[in-house]
């Protein structure tokens, strides 16, 4: 084992991944399964057709407590956290003073505290950011004793109901404290695939028992990071560090839906002046879906041109969409060329490839809303 490999962190399910024959790769400082013997294509299809189990324990789980944690958090994000009802969750963004995105995160109102899930590669800096900016306003606790899994796909609800009957009636973006085979879990009806499903937060010591119980169900297969990426790309969902980062604002990233009316009017979050101006006057560029012609995928950093050969931007995520049956991509173009149907040229390995701006998601999202 190399020195670099020994420095990688592992999740509580690491031994199970190895036992299942996973190909392990470094990801965000962790040794993570990129695929299992089933292979990325079949793992992707299985999740769309039945149910897939993902280990996402590398992500950061954070508890925020204090007299008014929602009010405190609103000084760092543009979302409506004060209006978040107990048992509900919301997607929002940490912003810098230029309106750039430091990370994207999920926030759940857990009653006596806020429960945050942040990206693995950003969790140390996110926690440091929270502690620095909210000192004296809220207590910030990184919950290192917890694991996190995602059960995703059309069969997820039926499978979960065998263990947690009350999970069946949960709606998209809600939270439930429950027991799974006698151990406490926090379930959220959410995910990163465009499918119905759940994320399961539990004690590290219980993670393997829960994973084995779910994998023993006939509909469930273990799914790696490779299929997780193709699933989220087809669903039109951003990957931090690729489709969004500190150089992109929520308006440029086509995430205006994360900016509710009250926050647009009141402000009080980093980068407000820049974001408000972009909302009013428009931004110079925009994240769009892109559909290359033919079968050849266009990968990240592929140059995007207009039909006359002028550079418009670049691909930020791209690959073949197994469910879409075609290559799919996202990237930034100047706003004048951002309308659905606009003809583009992608420079793939030095050759021009015709493409067009496409609506996202590339496959229908199937969240359960009741």
């Amino acid at each position: 084992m190399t020195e670099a490999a020994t420095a990688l962190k592992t999740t509580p399910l690491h031994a199970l991944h190895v036992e299942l024959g996973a190909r392990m790769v470094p990801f965000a400082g962790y040794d993570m399964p990129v695929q299992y013997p089933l292979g990325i294509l079949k793992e992707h299809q299985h999740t769309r057709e039945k149910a897939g189990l993902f280990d996402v324990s590398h992500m950061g789980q954070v508890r925020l407590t204090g007299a008014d944690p929602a009010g405190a958090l609103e000084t760092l994000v543009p979302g409506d956290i004060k209006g978040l009802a107990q048992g509900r969750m919301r997607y929002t963004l940490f912003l810098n003073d230029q309106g750039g995105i430091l990370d994207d995160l999920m926030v759940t109102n857990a009653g006596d505290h806020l429960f945050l899930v942040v990206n693995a590669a950003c969790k140390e800096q996110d926690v440091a950011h929270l502690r620095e900016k909210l000192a004296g306003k809220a207590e910030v606790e990184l919950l290192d004793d917890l694991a996190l899994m995602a059960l995703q796909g059309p069969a997820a609800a039926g499978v979960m109901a065998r263990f947690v009957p009350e999970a069946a009636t949960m709606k998209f973006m809600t939270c439930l404290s429950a027991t799974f085979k006698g151990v406490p879990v926090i379930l959220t009806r959410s995910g990163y695939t465009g499918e119905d499903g759940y994320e399961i937060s539990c004690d590290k010591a219980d993670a393997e028992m829960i994973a084995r119980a779910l994998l023993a169900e006939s509909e469930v297969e273990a799914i790696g990071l490779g299929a997780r990426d193709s699933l989220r790309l087809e669903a039109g969902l951003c990957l931090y560090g690729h489709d969004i980062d500190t150089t992109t604002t929520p308006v440029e990233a086509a995430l205006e839906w994360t900016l509710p009316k009250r926050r647009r009017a009141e402000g009080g979050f980093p980068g407000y002046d820049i974001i408000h101006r972009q909302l009013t006057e428009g931004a110079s560029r925009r994240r769009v879906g892109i559909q290359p012609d033919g079968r050849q995928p266009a990968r990240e950093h592929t140059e995007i041109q207009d039909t006359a050969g002028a550079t418009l931007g670049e691909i930020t995520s791209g690959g073949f969409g197994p469910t879409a049956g075609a290559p799919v991509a996202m990237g930034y173009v100047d706003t004048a060329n951002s309308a659905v149907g606009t003809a583009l040229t992608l420079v793939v390995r030095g050759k021009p490839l015709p493409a067009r701006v496409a609506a996202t998601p590339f496959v229908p999202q199937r969240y359960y809303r009741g």
Side-chain angles (χ1 to χ4, degrees):
M1 188 176 281
T2 65
E3 186 178 343
T6 58
L8 290 174
K9 298 174 187 172
T10 58
T11 75
L13 297 179
H14 187 270
L16 178 59
H17 299 315
V18 173
E19 177 188 321
L20 293 172
R23 182 158 74 84
M24 307 298 287
V25 298
F27 182 81
Y30 284 78
D31 197 29
M32 295 295 290
V34 69
Q35 68 178 77
Y36 297 88
L38 193 61
I40 291 173
L41 177 63
K42 288 183 178 176
E43 289 174 32
H44 177 112
Q45 291 167 331
H46 187 90
T47 305
R48 291 268 186 253
E49 293 165 8
K50 294 182 181 179
L53 184 68
F54 302 76
D55 180 10
V56 287
S57 300
H58 58 314
M59 297 184 76
Q61 301 180 73
V62 180
R63 181 187 291 130
L64 217 58
T65 54
D68 181 17
L73 187 58
E74 281 198 1
T75 65
L76 302 181
V77 304
D80 179 7
I81 311 303
K82 291 179 185 177
L84 191 58
Q86 186 170 337
R88 299 283 303 178
M89 63 191 301
R90 184 157 286 157
Y91 174 86
T92 192
L93 310 162
F94 286 128
L95 300 176
N96 64 23
D97 289 338
Q98 291 73 48
I101 300 170
L102 296 168
D103 198 10
D104 58 344
L105 66 152
M106 287 288 194
V107 181
T108 300
N109 180 349
D112 62 351
H113 67 277
L114 294 179
F115 176 62
L116 280 53
V117 177
V118 301
N119 282 303
C122 303
K123 66 182 174 183
E124 279 84 11
Q125 69 197 47
D126 286 349
V127 168
H129 180 64
L130 285 162
R131 286 178 174 154
E132 178 195 346
K133 300 295 185 181
L134 303 186
K137 301 177 193 171
E139 292 296 315
V140 181
E141 183 184 1
L142 180 62
L143 304 173
D144 272 335
D145 54 342
L146 298 181
L148 192 65
M149 290 168 267
L151 182 69
Q152 300 281 296
V159 169
M160 186 60 75
R162 292 170 202 157
F163 301 95
V164 185
E166 60 269 41
T169 54
M170 291 175 69
K171 293 179 182 176
F172 180 55
M173 298 294 270
T174 64
C175 171
L176 175 72
S177 294
T179 56
F180 185 110
K181 295 191 76 172
V183 304
V185 293
I186 303 291
L187 299 182
T188 59
R189 198 149 194 177
S190 60
Y192 193 50
T193 61
E195 297 295 329
D196 182 25
Y198 303 87
E199 294 195 342
I200 309 151
S201 177
C202 65
D203 191 279
K204 277 184 173 180
D206 299 323
E208 188 172 325
M209 179 276 289
I210 292 170
R212 287 185 185 276
L214 291 169
L215 289 169
E217 299 300 303
S218 62
E219 303 94 330
V220 183
E221 290 283 352
I223 311 295
L225 292 174
R228 182 170 158 86
D229 192 54
S230 58
L231 289 158
R232 70 93 196 165
L233 175 56
E234 283 189 337
L237 301 173
C238 293
L239 176 61
Y240 189 79
H242 299 260
D243 309 297
I244 50 175
D245 59 25
T246 54
T247 70
T248 60
T249 71
V251 180
E252 292 168 347
L255 295 174
E256 292 96 337
W257 57 271
T258 66
L259 308 168
K261 190 175 179 180
R262 175 177 67 84
R263 302 306 313 275
R264 293 185 188 202
E266 294 177 2
F269 55 85
Y272 172 71
D273 289 344
I274 292 167
I275 290 169
H276 186 264
R277 185 168 66 247
Q278 289 185 339
L279 286 168
T280 305
E281 302 173 6
S284 61
R285 61 178 184 153
R286 188 164 183 82
R287 178 180 64 91
V288 295
I290 296 170
Q291 188 94 61
D293 288 0
R295 305 281 290 176
Q296 185 169 2
R299 306 290 181 185
E300 186 177 1
H301 300 308
T302 296
E303 184 182 346
I304 306 169
Q305 299 178 345
D306 65 17
T307 52
T311 300
L312 301 178
E314 68 173 28
I315 299 289
T316 53
S317 287
F320 191 82
T323 308
V328 294
M330 296 191 294
Y332 284 80
V333 298
D334 69 287
T335 305
N337 286 277
S338 64
V340 170
T342 301
L344 304 171
T345 299
L346 308 178
V347 183
V348 177
R349 295 176 187 163
K351 295 180 180 177
L353 179 71
R356 67 184 187 280
V357 176
T360 58
F362 296 99
V363 299
Q365 294 172 339
R366 297 195 285 188
Y367 305 128
Y368 179 76
R369 302 183 189 273

